[in-house]
Amino acid sequence: MTDVHATLSSAQLRDVELALAGANDSCARLRLRDVEIAQGDAVTLHDAEGTDVAELRADDVDVVPPHPAGVAQIGTGTAPDLPGETLVSGAVSARRPLGHRDRTELRAAAGFARVRRAVLVTGAVPEPEDAGWDGAGPVIVLDRGDSSALAVAVARVEHAGRRAVVMPSPSDPASVRDVAEQLIADRVDVWETAIPASPGCAILLTGLSGSGKSTISKLLVERLAETDERTTTLLDGDEVRLILSKGLGFSREDRMLNVQRIGWVASLVARHGGIAVCAPIAPYEAMRREMRERVEQHGRFLLVHVSTPVSVCAERDRKGLYAEAAAGEIAEFTGISDPYQIPSDADLTIDAAVVAPDDAVTQILEAMHR
């Protein structure tokens, strides 16, 4: 038996919080990445800030191989492997108080004891005059990690003269009634409403150096300023390296860290309802997948592959970098001496050798509205 550490996503943290409150016999089932776990291991669980949250005793472990098995690439060399995943389940125990979501506070919000009946609102809480809830029990609102939306939901319930009980939203929507009946009320009436879609969005334009990413992204930001009310932030690869990634080189590890930082900023922009337009080379499938997963916790992610052929990119290269890389004078140059993995999950592919920048922007805007 060994001690293992794992960092939870916001959705996983909510599942752990529910288990710590007593749901599912105080057990959680998690899909963890890049962690080797054996049956019987004690897994220390951290939140995004690195704080110990809970400990999980691994009673059941199943290794999930990475997918896809192979990714087509341009250039020589080996890209980082896609991360493997481990499905682990077991009992959890708290390592620190979890505020209003732990057992004591969750019970206190419901009146220090189970109630006979409660209403569960699955999505947006309606305005008080549109609620139409029967009975006098509490109204359960779901916390999905959006503090602003949660505050609005609680305020509407209280304005309607009802008591609000905040319950973390389980990752499996089908289990929400069962979990609520385990923790809060003998009978839970489900009031189904639409889950408000996050208005935030991140667009990643990926492609070789000289493929046209920067030109397209700058035009895209200009068009968005004219046609979209949301604030748009441009995270161009070269500009990011001047400040956010200053000091990083072009090793595999530094490239991964550079795109991780861009993805983190993009997810914050999306979380607050803005649009992030990102234009790094982002050559590896693993880094793009991580960015997608990070952003989709808060908003929409659109992956655009600018697929301009390497021969055209080399012709456009005013600095002669492609020629130097081909002559072996530059190590780890993407598309020549370092691989560019062709995206297997692109939402849109644009060959900027045949598509004009303005037309490329039009295609992206159309994809955003699909």
Side-chain angles (χ1 to χ4, degrees):
M1 185 177 69
T2 59
D3 289 332
V4 184
H5 295 259
T7 299
L8 301 174
S9 68
S10 57
Q12 290 173 330
L13 179 59
R14 293 194 292 273
D15 281 338
V16 169
E17 289 169 341
L18 289 169
L20 292 174
N24 303 316
D25 297 322
S26 297
C27 292
R29 181 172 175 81
L30 304 172
R31 182 184 289 262
L32 302 175
R33 174 166 292 177
D34 273 344
V35 181
E36 293 185 5
I37 302 172
Q39 188 168 347
D41 282 349
V43 185
T44 301
L45 304 174
H46 306 279
D47 62 15
E49 297 177 350
T51 304
D52 292 2
V53 173
E55 181 177 280
L56 181 148
R57 184 65 61 177
D59 296 326
D60 186 39
V61 178
D62 185 22
V63 177
V64 181
H67 178 80
V71 180
Q73 71 177 44
I74 301 169
T76 61
T78 303
D81 293 330
L82 288 168
E85 295 180 321
T86 302
L87 285 174
V88 57
S89 59
V92 294
S93 55
R95 294 178 66 96
R96 69 173 176 91
L98 289 171
H100 70 278
R101 299 186 185 115
D102 68 13
R103 178 189 296 273
T104 302
E105 293 300 329
L106 190 59
R107 300 291 188 185
F112 294 97
R114 290 183 62 82
V115 297
R116 293 184 59 188
R117 186 177 178 184
V119 173
L120 169 66
V121 183
T122 60
V125 174
E127 294 286 355
E129 59 270 18
D130 299 324
W133 298 312
D134 297 325
V139 176
I140 305 168
V141 295
L142 298 177
D143 179 3
R144 293 187 171 84
D146 186 333
S147 57
S148 297
L150 180 61
V152 170
V154 171
R156 287 181 175 178
V157 171
E158 294 178 345
H159 188 215
R162 303 292 287 271
R163 185 169 58 231
V165 178
V166 176
M167 188 180 88
S169 178
S171 58
D172 178 11
S175 69
V176 64
R177 184 204 294 266
D178 182 54
V179 171
E181 290 180 343
Q182 291 179 47
L183 297 178
I184 299 167
D186 296 328
R187 173 182 169 182
V188 174
D189 299 323
V190 177
W191 184 281
E192 292 193 5
T193 61
I195 299 173
S198 169
C201 176
I203 305 166
L204 171 61
L205 290 87
T206 173
L208 297 171
S209 175
S211 61
K213 302 183 305 299
S214 294
T215 300
I216 295 171
S217 63
K218 290 173 183 176
L219 286 173
L220 176 60
V221 169
E222 292 177 5
R223 291 271 292 276
L224 285 170
E226 298 170 353
T227 61
D228 201 297
E229 295 181 352
R230 291 171 290 183
T231 300
T232 302
T233 301
L234 175 61
L235 299 171
D236 184 69
D238 292 337
E239 293 179 356
V240 164
R241 280 188 170 271
L242 293 176
I243 299 178
L244 186 64
S245 296
K246 186 176 182 179
L248 293 183
F250 292 90
S251 67
R252 172 185 295 183
E253 293 74 17
D254 283 355
R255 292 181 186 198
M256 291 289 291
L257 182 55
N258 177 53
V259 176
Q260 281 180 331
R261 291 177 179 179
I262 294 173
W264 180 74
V265 174
S267 70
L268 290 180
V269 172
R271 179 176 183 177
H272 294 288
I275 302 173
V277 177
C278 315
I281 293 174
Y284 307 139
E285 184 89 350
M287 60 174 54
R288 298 188 297 258
R289 178 177 297 187
E290 178 182 310
M291 185 185 292
R292 180 186 289 275
E293 292 175 353
R294 189 185 298 273
V295 170
E296 287 184 343
Q297 294 182 45
H298 307 293
R300 186 181 178 195
F301 182 80
L302 190 71
L303 177 59
V304 180
H305 177 207
V306 184
S307 62
T308 309
V310 63
S311 58
V312 177
C313 294
E315 290 175 2
R316 295 175 174 178
D317 180 19
R318 298 176 181 177
K319 298 180 181 179
L321 299 179
Y322 275 95
E324 292 180 18
E329 299 173 7
I330 300 178
E332 298 179 320
F333 189 85
T334 300
I336 302 295
S337 51
D338 200 67
Y340 176 85
Q341 293 186 304
I342 299 173
S344 61
D345 60 343
D347 299 289
L348 180 65
T349 299
I350 298 172
D351 182 352
V354 296
V355 178
D358 281 329
D359 294 334
V361 170
T362 298
Q363 289 186 30
I364 295 171
L365 292 175
E366 291 173 348
M368 288 178 64
H369 292 96
R370 284 200 291 266

